[in-house]
Amino acid sequence: MSVKPAEGTRSRDPEARKRKLIDAAIVSIGEIGYNDVTVDTISETAGISRGLIGHYFKGKDQLLLEAVKTVAAEIGASTRKAVSAAGEDAVARLYATARASFGKPAFTEAHACVWAALAGNAGWSPELTQLYHELWTGYREALARLFERAAQTRGIALDARLAALTFTHLIEGLWVGWVADSTEISRQRAESACLTYLDAIFKQP
């Protein structure tokens, strides 16, 4: 599978070529897994000479860093759009977050594979550890504020930070689980699990 350059860009445009390599890394990780991805497989997928990769990236780990940043940005943009469309009610925004976490266009098998690669390799790479921490810290803090507002409006006693931590890693665990066993964990069941968690908090008898 080859990755085409973004529409309206020229193949000799350095930024377009860099994005082609990042997209190729995402596709390659999704197709054969991070451990089997090499500079050669990425260059072949991108249709770019292996020698040119060194002009943009030091190696596979740096490409993974950029792939994760790209995936995080795309999922983040999709989630923010869904949350904004849900209105001002904090509970509705949390439900929108759960649905967007497993919805198209941002959430794809390739994106889930990239995130699984990050989670599986972060403990052995200082750069990946730092990126992982930065990505989740800001996300959890935003969710904690939403949980706090939602609990206040519903008159519920809640540890908002703990709820955000649980919700965050429920989502991530289901992403990784979907990659590992898509027969048991479908997109629909994963979304349902997150919605059920929110129901347990906010749909009081």
Side-chain angles (χ1 to χ4, degrees):
M1 181 176 181
S2 62
V3 179
K4 297 179 180 178
E7 188 176 347
T9 60
R10 296 173 298 155
S11 61
R12 293 187 179 183
D13 180 347
E15 286 305 311
R17 190 180 291 127
K18 182 178 179 180
R19 179 56 195 250
K20 262 188 102 172
L21 289 168
I22 293 170
D23 287 343
I26 293 170
V27 169
S28 297
I29 292 167
E31 288 185 342
I32 62 176
Y34 177 72
N35 288 337
D36 290 329
V37 169
T38 65
V39 171
D40 286 335
T41 60
I42 293 170
S43 64
E44 182 179 348
T45 300
I48 293 176
S49 167
R50 185 186 192 284
L52 285 174
I53 292 182
H55 290 289
Y56 301 96
F57 304 103
K58 294 178 182 178
K60 189 176 77 168
D61 283 349
Q62 191 181 17
L63 259 171
L64 175 59
L65 279 168
E66 294 302 321
V68 170
K69 289 177 183 178
T70 299
V71 167
E74 291 175 356
I75 293 176
S78 178
T79 301
R80 285 191 296 273
K81 183 177 180 180
V83 168
S84 178
E88 294 301 317
D89 180 71
V91 174
R93 291 167 82 90
L94 285 167
Y95 277 85
T97 299
R99 293 187 180 96
S101 296
F102 299 96
K104 295 180 179 180
F107 186 75
T108 66
E109 184 176 354
H111 285 179
C113 287
V114 169
W115 206 275
L118 170 66
N121 290 278
W124 292 269
S125 165
E127 286 183 314
L128 291 178
T129 298
Q130 181 180 352
L131 177 59
Y132 185 88
H133 175 76
E134 290 173 355
L135 290 172
W136 274 135
T137 297
Y139 184 71
R140 280 196 300 266
E141 288 175 353
L143 279 175
R145 290 192 293 270
L146 267 184
F147 272 107
E148 185 173 14
R149 282 175 46 205
Q152 289 174 350
T153 59
R154 297 301 192 273
I156 297 170
L158 180 68
D159 184 333
R161 293 182 66 84
L162 181 59
L165 177 68
T166 305
F167 188 56
T168 298
H169 291 288
L170 174 60
I171 291 170
E172 182 183 54
L174 289 164
W175 285 351
V176 175
W178 186 43
V179 172
D181 186 6
S182 60
T183 59
E184 181 66 23
I185 303 176
S186 65
R187 186 192 300 267
Q188 293 74 23
R189 293 190 77 187
E191 178 185 303
S192 179
C194 291
L195 296 178
T196 299
Y197 173 70
L198 295 175
D199 287 345
I201 297 174
F202 296 111
K203 289 195 173 180
Q204 301 294 315

